[in-house]
């Protein structure tokens, strides 16, 4: 019986393990960006603001509904009225001895209020488009920086794992030597201490890696149980000397959606000012009346018109607010242009500095030399040609130099993306 129970438990655990098997999604940077454009929920939600702005334009084009009312309906009639039949029925026996009035009214806006409101809402749609572009610009930078951070962590984990494997081989060999009495145990302990320190660093890097996985999976809307593996591709690095700073500073106003939005805000408040000024002109209400019999004429039909008399309220407060908003938006637009130019200059200088630092490292082939020396140091340690202290110092230098190379590469591509972000378009 116990054998059957053990078998069932084993099958159950095997099913759980297979169900929880992690799916690895291999993506290039281009594929990740395509997935982001297709599946990012924030981007999809922001895009709906454009549809809402279209709906606001449709609403602004609509006329006011006419108003229909019935009044002065008598709920009963006197005996004399019934006997004398003073109020005959309209048809058949309907509305006999019944008085009522009917009124149909229609509001007509003056001073082209409707057209001015439509023009204002059209500017609102253009603002919504630029706000979408601004959201896209910010999220695209976040995705690209996250991709570069993930590539860095992937590569750094490989370096640490390679060192860990090397130390593990040395520890196994030293344990045999200690057991045979060929070397002192303190040499083995020193290796084991280095391995322990490396385990702590591997844990920390893995935690950062998991955090970047969370960020990127959220941006790409990928299930949490999956793992993204970024396939590195050979990317052409743009020489900053080929980018004319003066040109991108001049073109920034046409490229950055936040600056275009700021300029559209000026237009919006200008349209709003015109709309508010039009509000001081009274609207007209036309009326068509029917009075069955209460007046001097039976079945009286009359026309009427009504409008406000602008003695006290000529919309002075709202007009003043609209004027202030327009002037304020002009100051903000100038401030944002100045800030954008400062951001571009800073981003360009940072990229320029990192580019030539990275190029110098590539020209010296430091990375390949370090890999060769790691194998050489391991052989020399095993052959007792170098001391344990020399080997540990080299291992630390190897890790630090490799990390510096990876960080410089990451910073180079990240700063190029930040430069493109500040410019507001792809730099070709």
């Amino acid at each position: 019986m116990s054998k059957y129970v053990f078998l069932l438990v084993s099958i159950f655990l095997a099913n759980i393990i297979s169900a929880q098997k992690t799916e690895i999604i291999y993506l290039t940077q281009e594929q990740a960006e395509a997935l982001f454009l297709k599946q990012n929920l924030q981007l999809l939600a922001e895009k709906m603001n454009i549809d809402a702005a279209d709906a606001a334009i449709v609403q602004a084009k609509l006329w006011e509904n006419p108003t229909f009312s019935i009044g002065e309906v008598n709920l009963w009639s006197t005996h004399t009225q019934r006997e004398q039949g003073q109020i005959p029925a309209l048809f058949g026996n309907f509305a006999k001895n019944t008085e009522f009035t009917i009124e149909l009214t229609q509001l007509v806006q003056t001073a082209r209020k409707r057209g001015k409101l439509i023009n204002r809402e059209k500017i609102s749609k253009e603002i919504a488009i630029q706000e979408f572009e601004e959201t896209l610009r910010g999220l695209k930078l976040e995705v690209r920086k996250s991709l570069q951070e993930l590539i860095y962590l992937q590569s750094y984990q490989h370096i640490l794992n390679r060192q860990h494997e090397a130390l593990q081989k040395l520890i196994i060999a030293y344990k045999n030597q200690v057991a045979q009495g060929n070397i002192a145990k303190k040499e083995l302990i020193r290796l084991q201490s280095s391995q322990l320190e490396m385990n702590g660093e591997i844990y920390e890097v893995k935690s950062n890696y998991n955090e970047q996985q969370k960020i990127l999976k959220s941006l790409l809307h990928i299930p949490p149980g999956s793992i993204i593996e970024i396939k590195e591709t050979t990317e052409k690095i743009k020489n900053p000397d080929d980018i004319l700073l003066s040109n991108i500073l001049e073109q920034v106003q046409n490229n950055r959606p936040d600056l275009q939005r700021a300029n559209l805000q000026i237009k919006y408040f200008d349209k709003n000012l015109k709309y508010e000024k039009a509000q001081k002109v009274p609207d007209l209400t036309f009326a068509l009346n029917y009075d069955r019999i209460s007046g001097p004429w039976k079945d009286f039909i009359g026309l009427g018109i009504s409008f406000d008399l602008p003695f006290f309220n000529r919309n002075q407060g709202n007009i003043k607010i609209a004027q202030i908003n327009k002037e304020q938006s002009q100051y903000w637009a100038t401030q944002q242009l100045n800030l954008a130019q400062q951001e571009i200059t800073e981003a360009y200088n940072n990229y320029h500095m990192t580019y030539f630092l990275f190029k110098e490292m590539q020209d010296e082939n430091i990375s390949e030399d370090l890999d060769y020396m790691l194998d050489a140091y391991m052989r020399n340690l095993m052959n007792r040609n170098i001391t344990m202290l020399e080997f540990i110092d080299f291992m630390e230098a190897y890790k630090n130099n490799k990390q510096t190379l990876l960080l410089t590469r990451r910073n180079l591509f990240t700063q190029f993306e930040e430069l493109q972000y500040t410019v507001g378009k792809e730099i070709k």
Side-chain angles (χ1 to χ4, degrees):
M1 182 67 181
S2 60
K3 291 182 178 179
Y4 290 112
V5 172
F6 176 77
L7 180 61
L8 289 172
V9 171
S10 300
I11 294 172
F12 177 73
L13 292 174
N15 288 334
I16 291 177
I17 293 171
S18 61
Q20 294 180 344
K21 187 177 180 181
T22 302
E23 179 188 6
I24 300 178
I25 302 175
Y26 295 95
L27 296 172
T28 63
Q29 295 181 60
E30 291 77 11
Q31 290 171 335
E33 283 196 37
L35 206 58
F36 154 72
L37 293 173
K38 181 181 178 182
Q39 297 188 169
N40 183 267
L41 297 181
Q42 184 179 349
L43 206 59
L44 295 174
E46 187 68 30
K47 195 171 185 179
M48 296 183 74
N49 287 334
I50 301 175
D51 297 331
D54 274 325
I57 294 174
V58 171
Q59 184 63 35
K61 291 179 178 180
L62 300 178
W63 285 77
E64 296 290 336
N65 288 325
T67 302
F68 176 80
S69 61
I70 300 178
E72 298 185 18
V73 180
N74 61 305
L75 299 179
W76 62 85
S77 59
T78 65
H79 177 73
T80 303
Q81 289 172 328
R82 290 194 299 271
E83 288 294 327
Q84 296 179 357
Q86 292 181 357
I87 306 178
L90 285 176
F91 50 86
N93 203 35
F94 177 73
K96 184 178 181 180
N97 296 324
T98 303
E99 155 66 10
F100 61 86
T101 61
I102 296 176
E103 185 177 51
L104 183 67
T105 61
Q106 175 66 54
L107 176 69
V108 177
Q109 292 179 319
T110 59
R112 295 190 62 251
K113 292 187 185 74
R114 181 166 157 270
K116 290 170 183 176
L117 181 60
I118 292 170
N119 291 336
R120 191 186 72 177
E121 294 305 324
K122 286 180 178 179
I123 299 296
S124 291
K125 179 186 176 181
E126 293 182 39
I127 291 174
I129 292 172
Q130 295 306 319
E131 286 176 345
F132 170 76
E133 293 294 333
E134 178 65 9
T135 301
L136 173 60
R137 184 174 74 113
L139 288 174
K140 189 181 289 186
L141 174 65
E142 191 175 349
V143 168
R144 291 177 175 180
K145 289 176 74 172
S146 183
L147 287 170
Q148 292 301 327
E149 185 67 24
L150 201 58
I151 290 172
Y152 158 72
L153 291 170
Q154 285 176 184
S155 301
Y156 192 42
Q157 280 188 97
H158 292 156
I159 291 169
L160 293 177
N161 290 337
R162 182 179 181 186
Q163 281 192 298
H164 187 272
E165 291 172 3
L167 283 173
Q168 190 63 33
K169 290 178 182 178
L170 288 172
I171 287 170
I172 293 172
Y174 267 60
K175 281 182 178 179
N176 293 332
Q177 293 295 318
V178 169
Q180 295 173 14
N182 295 332
I183 58 175
K185 191 174 182 180
K186 65 179 182 179
E187 300 287 333
L188 174 62
I189 294 173
R190 185 68 184 90
L191 283 175
Q192 290 173 328
S193 298
S194 296
Q195 188 185 44
L196 187 62
E197 291 176 9
M198 186 163 293
N199 287 339
E201 189 166 1
I202 289 173
Y203 172 81
E204 184 178 349
V205 171
K206 184 65 177 176
S207 297
N208 294 335
Y209 177 80
N210 292 336
E211 182 181 1
Q212 286 302 318
Q213 284 283 331
K214 175 199 71 176
I215 293 172
L216 193 57
K217 284 186 287 187
S218 297
L219 289 168
L220 304 185
H221 192 49
I222 288 176
S226 305
I227 291 180
I228 301 173
E229 187 80 17
I230 303 300
K231 295 186 286 187
E232 291 189 57
T233 55
T234 304
E235 299 178 67
K236 187 177 180 181
I237 304 170
K238 186 75 174 178
N239 190 329
D241 290 339
D242 296 334
I243 305 171
L244 294 177
L245 181 59
S246 58
N247 285 352
I248 57 179
L249 286 174
E250 288 175 4
Q251 299 169 6
V252 63
Q253 192 137 10
N254 298 324
N255 295 332
R256 281 184 52 153
D258 57 334
L259 298 182
Q260 293 187 48
R261 181 184 59 189
N263 290 327
L264 285 169
Q265 287 285 359
I266 298 174
K267 291 183 180 180
Y268 174 86
F269 287 121
D270 181 61
K271 299 292 184 185
N272 188 57
L273 177 59
K274 292 177 181 178
Y275 177 72
E276 294 296 346
K277 284 182 177 179
Q279 292 296 322
K280 66 183 180 181
V281 181
D283 293 329
L284 302 177
T285 301
F286 293 95
L288 176 66
N289 307 94
Y290 168 77
D291 191 330
R292 189 176 183 204
I293 204 165
S294 66
W297 296 283
K298 181 184 176 183
D299 296 326
F300 172 80
I301 297 176
L303 297 174
I305 184 172
S306 63
F307 53 87
D308 293 336
L309 297 176
F311 292 155
F312 308 111
N313 181 359
R314 296 195 300 276
N315 207 36
Q316 301 96 317
N318 288 333
I319 291 173
K320 184 64 176 177
I321 292 171
Q323 288 173 336
I324 292 171
N325 286 336
K326 181 181 176 181
E327 292 175 13
Q328 188 181 49
S329 64
Q330 290 170 338
Y331 285 122
W332 280 118
T334 304
Q335 167 64 12
Q336 285 206 234
L337 175 60
N338 178 60
L339 181 61
Q341 291 174 334
Q342 299 293 346
E343 289 174 349
I344 289 174
T345 305
E346 180 191 12
Y348 178 84
N349 290 335
N350 288 338
Y351 178 64
H352 189 278
M353 176 178 60
T354 308
Y355 173 84
F356 287 103
L357 175 62
F358 182 73
K359 192 171 184 300
E360 182 181 350
M361 291 178 175
Q362 277 192 319
D363 292 343
E364 294 179 0
N365 294 323
I366 299 174
S367 182
E368 295 179 5
D369 293 341
L370 286 170
D371 291 333
Y372 172 78
M373 290 179 67
L374 177 61
D375 295 331
Y377 265 75
M378 285 185 63
R379 289 194 302 270
N380 285 323
L381 181 63
M382 294 297 296
N383 295 330
R384 311 299 296 274
N385 294 329
I386 59 173
T387 64
M388 177 63 69
L389 182 60
E390 288 176 313
F391 177 76
I392 296 299
D393 285 344
F394 171 76
M395 290 288 280
E396 188 67 22
Y398 173 86
K399 181 190 70 176
N400 291 338
N401 281 279
K402 279 283 191 177
Q403 185 181 25
T404 299
L405 289 169
L406 291 175
L407 284 172
T408 305
R409 181 197 176 280
R410 183 203 67 182
N411 292 341
L412 175 67
F413 286 102
T414 298
Q415 286 168 5
F416 180 71
E417 295 303 336
E418 288 177 349
L419 177 59
Q420 290 194 125
Y421 172 79
T422 58
V423 170
K425 70 171 187 177
E426 304 287 322
I427 298 175
K428 302 300 183 181

